Amino acid sequence: MVSEPNGPRPTLEAVAARAGVSRATVSRVVNGGAGVRAAVQEKVRQAVTELGYVPNSAARSLVTRRTGAVAVIIAEPETRVFSDPFFGRQLRGISRELSTADTQLLLLFVEHRDDYPRIGRYLAGGHVDGALMFSLHRDDPLPGMAESAGLPTVYGGRPGWAGAECAPGAAPLLYVDTDNRDGARQAVRHLLGRGRRRIAIITGPLDQTSALDRLDGYRDALGTADPDPRLIADGAFTAGGGERAMARLLDAAPDLDAVFACSDLMANGALRTLRARGRRVPDDVAVVGYDDLEPAAWADPPLTTVRQDVEEMGRLMARLLLRRLGHGGTDAAGLAPVVTEARLVVRESG
Amino acid sequence: MVSEPNGPRPTLEAVAARAGVSRATVSRVVNGGAGVRAAVQEKVRQAVTELGYVPNSAARSLVTRRTGAVAVIIAEPETRVFSDPFFGRQLRGISRELSTADTQLLLLFVEHRDDYPRIGRYLAGGHVDGALMFSLHRDDPLPGMAESAGLPTVYGGRPGWAGAECAPGAAPLLYVDTDNRDGARQAVRHLLGRGRRRIAIITGPLDQTSALDRLDGYRDALGTADPDPRLIADGAFTAGGGERAMARLLDAAPDLDAVFACSDLMANGALRTLRARGRRVPDDVAVVGYDDLEPAAWADPPLTTVRQDVEEMGRLMARLLLRRLGHGGTDAAGLAPVVTEARLVVRESG
């Protein structure tokens, strides 16, 4: 017999009464039976079956403090997550790695700032063993929430909040990133090598380290800490943002002959604007993107871009967290951030 | 002082000992303080602060049996979820509705059949108050898992498993769907009205009711229970599947003059094949899709299609579940499935 779906769930106490044993004994049996005689275990199991008792892991986790689940939190609204292939690809890597370790992935979005307190309660609530967080912005409350909940966490992208990397005596923050600064340097040096001299940049939001690091790489390649501000525009890491940023750049610096867009989506937006304004790519304006995901291949002309292995980064994040949680008897000592290589891929746009 | 992120979490017992009260008193204070004198509450709160105790909702949910979270389970691998705009759009509606009710959305995918037992454990584990499930296939184990966990559930799409709608005496299953059969009838009648006589269909997987109902609508419009099998091909609800199904149809029935593709993605795939085979759309072959999401507008030529309001369906699912859970003091009695209208949108492809 199973319990009525709509009736109250049978309790541990009811099972204990039915089996004629203590609550603690039922709890021990439900959690594996260690130290309970076989005959007693049998009696408890029979009561569990008769009552249709479903062991509640709220109860179980009071004993084992393990849920077998990991929260993956993307600090972006669901609409952005589903319109940017970066997130889907990173999740693919995470999902496969967690699935292999028989760990449940729970995906959470952040729609509004109002959502943070609720997410904080969930993280503090003992429902997950750890968290993976990505697309964090400066002053994001999520890292603090994970810390005060004592929740092991791995970050996607170098954490950029004040004190993130220098808390004295603290365990190092674990994160996975690519070498964004070097990737940007490669992109801009490539454009310089092709004879371009007025190279603009469409950045991501500058409260994210990935956007800041790529802007630094642009400065490195140009050899100046203080490039012409008319050549810099924020495209918010979206196609529409890239489209509008390109229009602003053309208005401010009509003589530009190249643009480094810090994501393929923004590069696609820039291509639309250049087409609308009658500028030929790459003849009049060379375009280089960043990511090398689907939009780079679909672009017209196909994008020269900086490749980062986003799926592998997802896998590495999940693997770091699983090691941090001691999965498969691994040792959490000596874990450190991972920074993967970026690599220029030359196609037709620049 | 907050607890060390890496140290053991302080327990309820430790708080009780520090405050010199019973475990039950601490529990009452942590859960709102009803029936506990203000001075005692103050003592407990002080101990909580001193020890950095984080109220564990594993403990709290033993009392309240409420987690404030809802699982949204898409019975598809993450790759499909991120390549088909249907899912993102439905999630948008769900996410907004849950967020308004301050309820946490947890998204779960099904990568492999091996994932089911783990998802079942999670659902039975007291981590969520209810579930929304969509894209279920016949014989999917998820509904049975939700039922045996006693978890209130609302389905996206009419449930198709044996006995789903006729369990004697059981509460009716709650689901949200569009009238797929009528939508398909409208699509095929439109093609007939334009003088098309050899109308093929590219179906979804026939272990899903949405695919079956649309095939039934096609049969209704043609006025036969037994249409020419050379005009029927399964396109698996993906663009690649639609592309290959169109090729098989052209090989089997080169005289076809129209195709009803049961999703916009499959219609886009079909358009690629028709272009590659030199068939003009709509002159040689008229094409009608289903969904009216982004791919319909992007298509070349823009797709005539059947519109279903996917975001609204998501909102309705979430709203049904919240009412079922008694949110805002609502009464769960009299809740029933919701079937929304489908409506033909005529553009250029057919």
Side-chain angles (χ1 to χ4, degrees):
Chain A
M1 185 186 112
V2 295
S3 64
E4 281 298 301
N6 301 321
R9 298 188 198 172
T11 59
L12 199 70
E13 287 77 6
V15 175
R18 181 87 157 213
V21 300
S22 74
R23 210 176 157 292
T25 301
V26 175
S27 177
R28 274 201 296 276
V29 173
V30 163
N31 288 289
V36 181
R37 276 186 300 127
V40 176
Q41 288 199 31
E42 181 48 37
K43 255 200 310 196
V44 171
R45 297 227 164 82
Q46 196 177 329
V48 163
T49 307
E50 285 170 8
L51 294 174
Y53 173 71
V54 177
N56 186 320
S57 83
R60 186 188 295 155
S61 84
L62 283 175
V63 180
T64 65
R65 302 204 165 233
R66 266 296 160 90
T67 66
V70 162
V72 176
I73 308 179
I74 308 183
E76 304 282 356
E78 161 281 327
T79 40
R80 243 220 84 199
V81 174
F82 273 83
S83 63
D84 188 336
F86 178 89
F87 298 109
R89 193 61 78 89
Q90 190 144 25
L91 273 171
R92 187 180 312 174
I94 292 172
S95 172
R96 293 195 175 162
E97 195 70 23
L98 291 181
S99 186
T100 303
D102 202 26
T103 296
Q104 186 58 50
L105 183 163
L106 308 170
L107 181 59
L108 289 79
F109 311 107
V110 180
E111 291 290 331
H112 310 286
R113 295 203 67 87
D114 299 353
D115 293 342
Y116 281 115
R118 187 179 66 242
I119 292 175
R121 287 198 300 277
Y122 196 80
L123 293 181
H127 297 297
V128 292
D129 300 328
L132 298 172
M133 298 184 178
F134 52 100
S135 207
L136 297 182
H137 297 254
R138 195 169 42 217
D139 302 326
D140 203 301
L142 289 168
M145 288 171 173
E147 192 185 350
S148 67
L151 202 64
T153 301
V154 174
Y155 300 95
R158 184 172 63 80
W161 56 91
E165 297 198 277
C166 54
L173 285 174
L174 293 178
Y175 65 87
V176 174
D177 206 347
T178 40
D179 191 338
N180 287 299
R181 188 163 181 162
D182 183 61
R185 270 194 301 250
Q186 291 182 46
V188 179
R189 280 182 188 150
H190 167 78
L191 289 166
L192 289 167
R194 297 260 164 133
R196 307 290 167 156
R197 288 298 170 261
R198 288 285 283 166
I199 303 171
I201 181 169
I202 301 179
T203 72
L206 294 176
D207 64 348
Q208 294 190 308
T209 57
S210 56
L212 279 173
D213 291 353
R214 290 172 204 176
L215 179 58
D216 280 342
Y218 167 82
R219 292 191 182 108
D220 292 347
L222 294 182
T224 170
D226 192 25
D228 184 347
R230 288 171 300 181
L231 294 175
I232 302 177
D234 182 343
F237 279 147
T238 67
E243 196 170 1
R244 292 184 294 274
M246 190 72 244
R248 293 197 304 277
L249 289 169
L250 286 171
D251 292 342
D255 60 333
L256 63 82
D257 59 6
V259 62
F260 167 45
C262 292
S263 78
D264 293 341
L265 271 187
M266 295 196 297
N268 269 284
L271 288 175
R272 277 204 293 269
T273 298
L274 290 166
R275 203 174 301 127
R277 299 271 186 114
R279 305 279 186 122
R280 288 167 306 162
V281 175
D283 310 56
D284 301 329
V285 179
V287 177
V288 175
Y290 204 106
D291 284 337
D292 198 26
L293 294 171
E294 291 82 352
W298 297 338
D300 179 23
L303 280 179
T304 292
T305 189
V306 180
R307 177 170 168 71
Q308 51 177 348
D309 191 340
V310 178
E311 186 170 337
E312 175 67 11
M313 288 163 73
R315 269 193 298 269
L316 290 168
M317 283 177 72
R319 217 172 289 162
L320 261 185
L321 182 61
L322 291 167
R323 286 183 59 196
R324 175 72 183 73
L325 296 174
H327 262 256
T330 52
D331 184 0
L335 292 180
V338 177
V339 178
T340 63
E341 280 188 6
R343 185 171 56 79
L344 187 74
V345 178
V346 179
R347 295 200 186 90
E348 294 168 33
S349 68
Chain B
M1 185 188 112
V2 295
S3 63
E4 283 296 302
N6 300 321
R9 300 186 197 174
T11 59
L12 198 70
E13 287 76 5
V15 175
R18 181 86 156 214
V21 302
S22 74
R23 209 177 157 290
T25 300
V26 175
S27 176
R28 274 201 296 275
V29 172
V30 163
N31 288 289
V36 181
R37 277 185 301 128
V40 176
Q41 287 197 35
E42 182 48 38
K43 254 200 311 194
V44 171
R45 294 227 165 82
Q46 198 177 326
V48 163
T49 308
E50 285 169 7
L51 293 175
Y53 173 71
V54 176
N56 186 319
S57 82
R60 186 188 295 155
S61 84
L62 282 175
V63 181
T64 66
R65 301 203 166 234
R66 265 298 161 90
T67 66
V70 162
V72 176
I73 309 179
I74 308 182
E76 303 282 354
E78 161 281 329
T79 40
R80 244 220 83 198
V81 174
F82 274 81
S83 63
D84 187 337
F86 178 90
F87 298 109
R89 193 60 79 89
Q90 190 142 26
L91 274 171
R92 186 180 311 175
I94 292 171
S95 173
R96 294 195 173 161
E97 195 69 25
L98 292 181
S99 187
T100 304
D102 203 25
T103 296
Q104 186 59 49
L105 183 162
L106 309 171
L107 181 57
L108 289 79
F109 311 106
V110 180
E111 291 290 329
H112 310 285
R113 294 203 67 86
D114 299 353
D115 293 342
Y116 281 115
R118 186 178 68 242
I119 293 175
R121 286 198 302 277
Y122 196 80
L123 293 181
H127 297 298
V128 292
D129 300 329
L132 298 172
M133 298 185 178
F134 52 100
S135 207
L136 296 182
H137 297 253
R138 194 167 44 216
D139 302 327
D140 202 303
L142 288 168
M145 289 171 172
E147 192 184 350
S148 65
L151 202 64
T153 301
V154 174
Y155 299 95
R158 183 172 65 79
W161 55 91
E165 296 198 279
C166 54
L173 285 175
L174 293 178
Y175 64 87
V176 174
D177 207 346
T178 40
D179 191 337
N180 287 300
R181 188 163 180 161
D182 183 61
R185 270 195 300 250
Q186 291 180 47
V188 179
R189 282 182 187 149
H190 168 77
L191 289 166
L192 288 167
R194 297 261 163 132
R196 307 290 167 155
R197 288 297 169 264
R198 288 284 283 166
I199 303 171
I201 182 170
I202 301 179
T203 72
L206 295 176
D207 63 348
Q208 293 189 310
T209 58
S210 56
L212 278 173
D213 291 353
R214 290 172 204 176
L215 179 58
D216 282 341
Y218 167 82
R219 291 191 182 110
D220 293 347
L222 293 183
T224 169
D226 191 24
D228 184 346
R230 288 170 301 180
L231 293 174
I232 302 176
D234 182 344
F237 278 147
T238 66
E243 197 171 1
R244 291 185 294 274
M246 190 72 243
R248 292 197 303 277
L249 289 169
L250 286 171
D251 292 342
D255 60 333
L256 63 82
D257 59 7
V259 62
F260 167 46
C262 292
S263 79
D264 292 342
L265 272 188
M266 295 196 297
N268 269 284
L271 287 175
R272 276 205 294 270
T273 298
L274 290 166
R275 202 175 304 126
R277 299 273 186 114
R279 304 280 186 122
R280 290 168 305 162
V281 175
D283 311 54
D284 301 329
V285 179
V287 177
V288 176
Y290 205 107
D291 285 336
D292 198 27
L293 294 171
E294 291 82 352
W298 297 338
D300 179 24
L303 279 180
T304 292
T305 189
V306 180
R307 177 169 166 72
Q308 51 177 347
D309 190 340
V310 178
E311 186 170 339
E312 174 67 11
M313 288 164 72
R315 269 194 297 268
L316 290 168
M317 282 177 73
R319 217 172 289 161
L320 261 185
L321 182 62
L322 290 167
R323 287 183 59 196
R324 173 73 183 72
L325 295 173
H327 262 256
T330 53
D331 183 359
L335 292 180
V338 178
V339 178
T340 63
E341 279 189 7
R343 185 171 57 80
L344 188 74
V345 178
V346 179
R347 295 199 186 89
E348 295 167 35
S349 69

